[in-house]
Amino acid sequence: MNSGSSTQETRGDGRAFGKVILFGEHAVVYGVPAIAAGISTGAQATAILREEDRIRVNGVQLEPSHELYRALGVLREHLDVPPVDLELIVDLPLGAGLGSSAAMAVSSARALGDLCGRQLSQRDVFFAAQAWEKVFHGNPSGIDVAAACSMGLIVFTKGETPEPTPLAQPLHLAIAQAGPPASTRLMVEGVARIRERNPVQFEKSLAAIASLSENGRLLLRQGDLQAVGKLMDLNQMLLAGWMLSTEEIETACACARDAGALGAKLTGAGGGGSVLALCETDQARKRVLARWESEKIACFSADVEVDWSKEHGHS
Ligand code: PMV
C-alpha cells in the first residue's frame, strides 16, 4: 500500500505474469495435468479508491459499457472492496493465448488486496481472479490464472492446487503471433464436439497428451531440452488432430524448426493466436526470431527462470 504524499491518495499495486503452455492445453479441461509457465512479460495494476469504477488499459480510458467493468465488479464483490480507479499496463499482446486476461485479473486482485492493506494468499488471489475470468471464458480450467500468479514452471491439474515443478536450466522461448486469435470458448466447444463424435479416438489422444505432459515434466527436470522439443512437436500434431491448428500456425512452427528450434507448437486455445518455440540457447533463439521476422511474423522472446520461487516470494 502506498500513500502518495502530494495527493494523500491511498494506492494499491499488483503485478502478474503472462503464460505459455508447454504441454496439455485443451486436454487440461478433461483432467490431464498440463505444464505451463509464467513469463516475465505480464500486467501491472494500480488501484485508487474512487466514487465509481474507472478503468484505463495502457493509457486508454474504457467506456462504461466495456466488459472489463463487469469483471472488475465481480472481483470487487469477491474481495469486498469499494469502487476504484484501476490503471492497467499490459505488455502482452491482448487476447493472443498468452494469458493477458488472467494477468489483468491477477494483477488487479493483488492491487485491490494491497489497497485495503490485506495480505491475500495465493489461493485468495486464484479464486478472485477466476471469478473475473469466468465473466469472459465461461468455465476456464484455471491454468491461465495459475500461471499468471507464479513466474516459473508449474504443473496444473484442474481443481487442484498448482504445483511448482523443477527446471534444470532456464528456458529460452520464442513466441510468434500466428494469425488473429480465436475465441477460447469456441475452440473448447469445438474440441467437445470432436469428443462427442468419436469418444474412443478422443480418449486415445487424451492419453497420449497425458503421457507427453508427464514425460515432458521429467525431461524438463533432467534438462534434456532436445527431447522436450520433440515432445512439443508431437503435442502439436495431436492438437492439429483436434482441428486447433491453422495454416499460419503450421507455417510458424515449420519456420521455427527450420531455423533450429528444438520444438514448436501452438500455445493456448489455438485456431490462431500464439506459437511457442523452444530454443537451446539465446543465440539459437535469435535465429528463430530473425526467421519469423523475415516472414513478417510478429514475435518476441520470453524466458522461464529456474529459481523463481525465492525471487517472487513464494513459499
Ligand atoms: O485462453 P487461452 O488461449 O489462454 O487458452 C486456455 C487454455 C485452454 O486449455 C484452451 C482452456 C482452459 O480453460 O484450460
Side-chain angles (χ1 to χ4, degrees), residues 11-222:
R11 202 181 78 189
D13 296 302
R15 172 129 191 88
F17 309 104
K19 72 105 207 332
V20 290
I21 301 177
L22 282 107
F23 298 103
E25 50 275 275
H26 288 279
V28 71
V29 172
Y30 299 93
V32 168
I35 313 283
I39 55 174
S40 44
T41 34
Q44 174 75 42
T46 304
I48 299 167
L49 288 177
R50 200 168 171 270
E51 270 159 33
E52 55 188 38
D53 286 333
R54 190 171 66 181
I55 308 177
R56 256 166 310 167
V57 178
N58 293 343
V60 177
Q61 171 81 47
L62 302 186
E63 293 296 323
S65 57
H66 198 284
E67 257 197 322
L68 272 180
Y69 281 93
R70 201 148 63 82
L72 175 59
V74 167
L75 183 69
R76 285 199 301 94
E77 202 174 305
H78 195 96
L79 295 171
D80 193 19
V81 175
V84 289
D85 189 337
L86 182 68
E87 175 89 49
L88 283 157
I89 305 293
V90 188
D91 51 17
L92 288 161
L94 300 179
L98 296 171
S100 58
S101 170
M104 285 196 255
V106 169
S107 60
S108 300
R110 287 181 170 155
L112 295 190
D114 188 39
L115 178 67
C116 300
R118 264 190 258 152
Q119 200 51 277
L120 298 180
S121 67
Q122 287 281 64
R123 200 184 141 78
D124 294 337
V125 171
F126 179 85
F127 284 108
Q130 268 294 86
W132 165 304
E133 281 288 87
K134 282 178 184 169
V135 170
F136 303 102
H137 301 308
N139 191 19
S141 67
I143 191 168
D144 286 21
V145 167
C149 287
S150 30
M151 188 182 157
L153 201 65
I154 55 166
V155 176
F156 180 82
T157 310
K158 193 175 170 181
E160 293 180 16
T161 306
E163 205 189 316
T165 184
L167 191 56
Q169 61 202 85
L171 299 181
H172 303 291
L173 303 175
I175 297 170
Q177 299 307 291
S183 143
T184 300
R185 194 195 295 248
L186 291 182
M187 299 316 285
V188 168
E189 284 170 7
V191 173
R193 278 196 298 277
I194 288 176
R195 180 178 183 236
E196 267 169 40
R197 277 205 296 271
N198 195 343
V200 175
Q201 185 56 41
F202 186 83
E203 284 305 317
K204 282 186 189 156
S205 301
L206 211 55
I209 294 177
S211 158
L212 293 177
S213 189
E214 175 55 20
N215 285 305
R217 175 190 193 170
L218 297 175
L219 292 164
L220 285 159
R221 184 193 291 171
Q222 289 162 8

